[in-house]
Amino acid sequence: MADVQTPLIRTDIPHSARIWNYWMGGKDNYEIDRVAGEAGKAVDPDISTMAVQSRQFLIRAVRYLASEHGIRQFLDIGTGLPTMQNTHEVAQSVNPDARIVYVDNDPLVLTHARALLTSTTPEGVTTYIDADFHEPEQIVADARNVLNFNEPIAVMFMGVLGHARTYEDLLRIVRTVVGEVPSGSYLIMWDGTDDSPAYVRLCEEYTGTGGTPYIPRTQAQIRAVFDGMELVDPGFTSITQWRQETAEVGRVEPISAYGAVARKP
């Protein structure tokens, strides 16, 4: 039997997950990512704020669904590198038996997932799938081995759908996955918007480095992802404004990153 080949981790091309990790203050990145990250901050000084606030949005959204709606299953697609208060840690702190499936296809992310993304409780389940979100049918098929598709599932796309090759692909990916989960499930999604010229320029320059292109969308395009679903209050908004907690440290002004949490009827 042939040996299984370990995926090649490219350290000569910056990668968005590693750059994002750098912007969040993490250490799981390479020199090429730090150089790209600093160049990005020179173009758009607010990008570090977006990175930090996106994690705060994740924490609030996951905690809300776990505590207020009893959601015990989470499918986190395009999870990125583990940092602070990952999805399983937040969910299992509320519901110890929560089951979390992470999905990514970056070799470094998967290496860290094997080491770090383990359940915080004995009754919970945390696992990962090596898959590209452009193949949502495969993601659903693999997730069925862990999650019960007869019970509500929270599907998560946290700042990753800008990597969709086209807007039509973006809609197809989300609607394929959401179409397979039952009524009472939720979609948590946010992405960067094109109303910040600095952010648009940053994405263009990142593409020029050889990284996988990231395409900012309009607010209307991101809002349309939730069509046919019931938006949770306060609806579609800048992620800094979604159920901002008064004791939370950090910037509360709107930024060019919009999203929502919505229920599948």
Side-chain angles (χ1 to χ4, degrees):
M1 181 180 295
D3 292 337
V4 176
Q5 294 295 315
T6 301
L8 176 64
I9 296 175
R10 294 290 299 269
T11 60
D12 58 331
I13 297 176
H15 190 282
S16 60
R18 302 192 307 250
I19 297 172
W20 201 253
N21 176 267
Y22 175 68
W23 284 331
M24 290 183 68
K27 302 183 183 303
D28 298 315
N29 45 73
Y30 296 106
E31 179 64 23
I32 190 72
D33 306 307
R34 295 187 284 275
V35 170
E38 285 301 312
K41 287 198 291 184
V43 173
D44 182 4
D46 280 345
I47 192 62
S48 292
T49 298
M50 184 186 293
V52 171
Q53 289 295 331
S54 70
R55 180 49 55 117
Q56 295 300 324
F57 172 61
L58 180 152
I59 293 167
R60 294 196 301 271
V62 170
R63 183 185 296 131
Y64 168 77
L65 290 184
S67 61
E68 300 295 322
H69 296 279
I71 299 300
R72 287 173 161 77
Q73 301 189 105
F74 293 83
L75 180 56
D76 188 344
I77 301 174
T79 179
L81 286 161
T83 52
M84 55 128 187
Q85 296 192 64
N86 299 290
T87 299
H88 72 286
E89 294 168 318
V90 178
Q92 290 172 352
S93 71
V94 178
N95 298 320
D97 60 345
R99 305 169 76 86
I100 292 83
V101 173
Y102 291 105
V103 181
D104 212 297
N105 69 334
D106 176 70
L108 186 63
V109 170
L110 296 172
T111 297
H112 282 267
R114 292 186 182 99
L116 299 177
L117 298 182
T118 58
S119 290
T120 58
T121 61
E123 59 269 51
V125 175
T126 303
T127 189
Y128 62 90
I129 295 171
D130 180 0
D132 186 331
F133 69 45
H134 286 93
E135 300 174 353
E137 296 86 357
Q138 185 61 52
I139 291 172
V140 169
D142 289 347
R144 287 184 185 278
N145 295 324
V146 180
L147 304 179
N148 180 357
F149 275 66
N150 294 315
E151 299 291 336
I153 297 170
V155 177
M156 304 169 61
F157 292 95
M158 308 300 281
V160 297
L161 288 171
H163 283 310
R165 290 183 286 261
T166 66
Y167 182 62
E168 290 70 25
D169 264 343
L170 184 156
L171 294 177
R172 175 186 62 83
I173 291 162
V174 175
R175 290 172 180 171
T176 296
V177 179
V178 172
E180 293 294 327
V181 297
S183 173
S185 293
Y186 287 83
L187 171 64
I188 311 173
M189 182 264 184
W190 77 270
D191 223 314
T193 51
D194 66 357
D195 42 12
S196 165
Y199 178 67
V200 171
R201 189 163 64 252
L202 180 152
C203 293
E204 291 172 346
E205 295 194 4
Y206 171 71
T207 299
T209 67
T212 304
Y214 204 92
I215 306 169
R217 318 286 180 181
T218 66
Q219 288 186 35
Q221 286 176 316
I222 296 175
R223 170 62 181 81
V225 173
F226 298 96
D227 285 354
M229 304 188 76
E230 301 165 352
L231 289 173
V232 168
D233 185 65
F236 181 76
T237 183
S238 174
I239 58 174
T240 59
Q241 306 302 294
W242 197 90
R243 295 178 175 265
Q244 181 81 26
E245 298 170 2
T246 56
E248 190 173 304
V249 176
R251 176 175 171 175
V252 296
E253 295 85 358
I255 59 175
S256 296
Y258 280 74
V261 176
R263 181 182 182 275
K264 179 177 178 178

